[in-house]
Amino acid sequence: MELTIRVDDMPRRQSADAAVTLRQDGGPPRTNPRAGGQDFHMELPVNHGGQNVLEMEVEAARQELTLANTAPPWW
């Protein structure tokens, strides 16, 4: 499966890049620094039939007002 991700820092960019952490099916987290405002593509294996779960989190910016929109509520 191909996934396209873009990190937009609104209303203005606070840093040049951000760490994006992905976890597939509860496995170990994979963290990658990514430039803000640019699409990046990832290939993720689909190792089994049925439900496949992908969790994604973006690190907080230096002046982040809230983390409510950067991580799912169960993390």
Side-chain angles (χ1 to χ4, degrees), residues 15 17-21 57-61 64 67 70:
S15 62
D17 60 2
V20 177
T21 301
E57 180 179 13
V58 178
E59 75 175 333
E64 191 80 47
L67 299 179
T70 61

Side-chain angles (χ1 to χ4, degrees), residues 9-68:
D9 199 359
M10 303 292 217
R12 65 184 184 288
R13 187 185 300 192
Q14 294 182 32
S15 62
D17 60 2
V20 177
T21 301
L22 298 172
R23 182 177 299 184
Q24 186 174 5
D25 291 325
R30 298 182 307 190
T31 301
N32 299 296
R34 295 296 173 187
Q38 298 178 9
D39 290 351
F40 69 93
H41 307 278
M42 295 185 70
E43 285 290 328
L44 297 172
V46 177
N47 297 320
H48 57 82
Q51 186 177 17
N52 286 266
V53 177
L54 179 65
E55 300 167 72
M56 181 176 13
E57 180 179 13
V58 178
E59 75 175 333
R62 287 185 299 273
Q63 297 177 359
E64 191 80 47
L65 295 177
T66 178
L67 299 179

